[in-house]
PDB file of all heavy atoms in Angstrom:
ATOM      1  N   PRO X 170     -15.230   2.347   4.994  1.00 95.00           N
ATOM      2  CA  PRO X 170     -16.392   1.968   5.803  1.00 95.00           C
ATOM      3  C   PRO X 170     -17.107   0.751   5.228  1.00 95.00           C
ATOM      4  O   PRO X 170     -17.376   0.702   4.026  1.00 95.00           O
ATOM      5  CB  PRO X 170     -17.296   3.202   5.727  1.00 95.00           C
ATOM      6  CG  PRO X 170     -16.423   4.327   5.297  1.00 95.00           C
ATOM      7  CD  PRO X 170     -15.270   3.745   4.562  1.00 95.00           C
ATOM      8  N   GLY X 171     -17.347  -0.226   6.087  1.00 91.00           N
ATOM      9  CA  GLY X 171     -18.129  -1.395   5.675  1.00 91.00           C
ATOM     10  C   GLY X 171     -17.356  -2.460   4.924  1.00 91.00           C
ATOM     11  O   GLY X 171     -17.916  -3.474   4.544  1.00 91.00           O
ATOM     12  N   VAL X 172     -16.056  -2.249   4.686  1.00 94.00           N
ATOM     13  CA  VAL X 172     -15.307  -3.246   3.905  1.00 94.00           C
ATOM     14  C   VAL X 172     -14.853  -4.425   4.760  1.00 94.00           C
ATOM     15  O   VAL X 172     -14.984  -5.573   4.370  1.00 94.00           O
ATOM     16  CB  VAL X 172     -14.107  -2.600   3.167  1.00 94.00           C
ATOM     17  CG1 VAL X 172     -13.222  -3.663   2.543  1.00 94.00           C
ATOM     18  CG2 VAL X 172     -14.621  -1.638   2.095  1.00 94.00           C
ATOM     19  N   MET X 173     -14.348  -4.134   5.938  1.00 89.00           N
ATOM     20  CA  MET X 173     -13.927  -5.236   6.814  1.00 89.00           C
ATOM     21  C   MET X 173     -15.141  -5.804   7.528  1.00 89.00           C
ATOM     22  O   MET X 173     -16.045  -5.067   7.913  1.00 89.00           O
ATOM     23  CB  MET X 173     -12.901  -4.762   7.821  1.00 89.00           C
ATOM     24  CG  MET X 173     -11.517  -5.250   7.463  1.00 89.00           C
ATOM     25  SD  MET X 173     -10.288  -4.815   8.672  1.00 89.00           S
ATOM     26  CE  MET X 173     -10.394  -3.048   8.655  1.00 89.00           C
ATOM     27  N   GLY X 174     -15.141  -7.127   7.719  1.00 75.00           N
ATOM     28  CA  GLY X 174     -16.283  -7.797   8.317  1.00 75.00           C
ATOM     29  C   GLY X 174     -16.728  -7.141   9.607  1.00 75.00           C
ATOM     30  O   GLY X 174     -17.859  -6.707   9.746  1.00 75.00           O
ATOM     31  N   ARG X 175     -15.803  -7.043  10.544  1.00 66.00           N
ATOM     32  CA  ARG X 175     -16.129  -6.418  11.820  1.00 66.00           C
ATOM     33  C   ARG X 175     -15.340  -5.139  11.925  1.00 66.00           C
ATOM     34  O   ARG X 175     -14.126  -5.143  11.805  1.00 66.00           O
ATOM     35  CB  ARG X 175     -15.722  -7.348  12.983  1.00 66.00           C
ATOM     36  CG  ARG X 175     -16.882  -8.059  13.636  1.00 66.00           C
ATOM     37  CD  ARG X 175     -16.358  -8.919  14.792  1.00 66.00           C
ATOM     38  NE  ARG X 175     -15.677  -8.113  15.801  1.00 66.00           N
ATOM     39  CZ  ARG X 175     -14.652  -8.542  16.533  1.00 66.00           C
ATOM     40  NH1 ARG X 175     -14.161  -9.735  16.360  1.00 66.00           N
ATOM     41  NH2 ARG X 175     -14.127  -7.767  17.452  1.00 66.00           N
ATOM     42  N   GLU X 176     -16.054  -4.031  12.154  1.00 57.00           N
ATOM     43  CA  GLU X 176     -15.384  -2.730  12.266  1.00 57.00           C
ATOM     44  C   GLU X 176     -14.200  -2.810  13.227  1.00 57.00           C
ATOM     45  O   GLU X 176     -13.161  -2.220  12.998  1.00 57.00           O
ATOM     46  CB  GLU X 176     -16.365  -1.665  12.774  1.00 57.00           C
ATOM     47  CG  GLU X 176     -17.398  -1.263  11.746  1.00 57.00           C
ATOM     48  CD  GLU X 176     -16.802  -0.574  10.526  1.00 57.00           C
ATOM     49  OE1 GLU X 176     -15.771   0.099  10.682  1.00 57.00           O
ATOM     50  OE2 GLU X 176     -17.353  -0.747   9.430  1.00 57.00           O
ATOM     51  N   ALA X 177     -14.393  -3.592  14.293  1.00 53.00           N
ATOM     52  CA  ALA X 177     -13.378  -3.642  15.343  1.00 53.00           C
ATOM     53  C   ALA X 177     -12.093  -4.289  14.862  1.00 53.00           C
ATOM     54  O   ALA X 177     -11.024  -4.025  15.393  1.00 53.00           O
ATOM     55  CB  ALA X 177     -13.911  -4.408  16.537  1.00 53.00           C
ATOM     56  N   SER X 178     -12.171  -5.115  13.812  1.00 63.00           N
ATOM     57  CA  SER X 178     -10.980  -5.899  13.502  1.00 63.00           C
ATOM     58  C   SER X 178      -9.843  -5.019  13.000  1.00 63.00           C
ATOM     59  O   SER X 178      -8.706  -5.446  12.974  1.00 63.00           O
ATOM     60  CB  SER X 178     -11.305  -7.047  12.549  1.00 63.00           C
ATOM     61  OG  SER X 178     -11.636  -6.566  11.276  1.00 63.00           O
ATOM     62  N   GLY X 179     -10.128  -3.757  12.614  1.00 68.00           N
ATOM     63  CA  GLY X 179      -9.050  -2.849  12.261  1.00 68.00           C
ATOM     64  C   GLY X 179      -8.302  -2.285  13.462  1.00 68.00           C
ATOM     65  O   GLY X 179      -7.114  -2.047  13.399  1.00 68.00           O
ATOM     66  N   ALA X 180      -9.017  -2.114  14.552  1.00 73.00           N
ATOM     67  CA  ALA X 180      -8.478  -1.332  15.667  1.00 73.00           C
ATOM     68  C   ALA X 180      -7.368  -2.035  16.434  1.00 73.00           C
ATOM     69  O   ALA X 180      -6.498  -1.391  16.999  1.00 73.00           O
ATOM     70  CB  ALA X 180      -9.608  -0.950  16.606  1.00 73.00           C
ATOM     71  N   GLU X 181      -7.381  -3.371  16.472  1.00 78.00           N
ATOM     72  CA  GLU X 181      -6.422  -4.094  17.310  1.00 78.00           C
ATOM     73  C   GLU X 181      -5.211  -4.579  16.558  1.00 78.00           C
ATOM     74  O   GLU X 181      -4.346  -5.233  17.125  1.00 78.00           O
ATOM     75  CB  GLU X 181      -7.122  -5.310  17.943  1.00 78.00           C
ATOM     76  CG  GLU X 181      -8.147  -4.916  18.977  1.00 78.00           C
ATOM     77  CD  GLU X 181      -8.584  -6.099  19.821  1.00 78.00           C
ATOM     78  OE1 GLU X 181      -8.025  -7.194  19.636  1.00 78.00           O
ATOM     79  OE2 GLU X 181      -9.472  -5.902  20.650  1.00 78.00           O
TER      80      GLU X 181
END
Side-chain angles (χ1 to χ4, degrees):
V172 171
M173 254 184 300
R175 256 181 60 212
E176 288 295 329
S178 69
E181 291 194 4

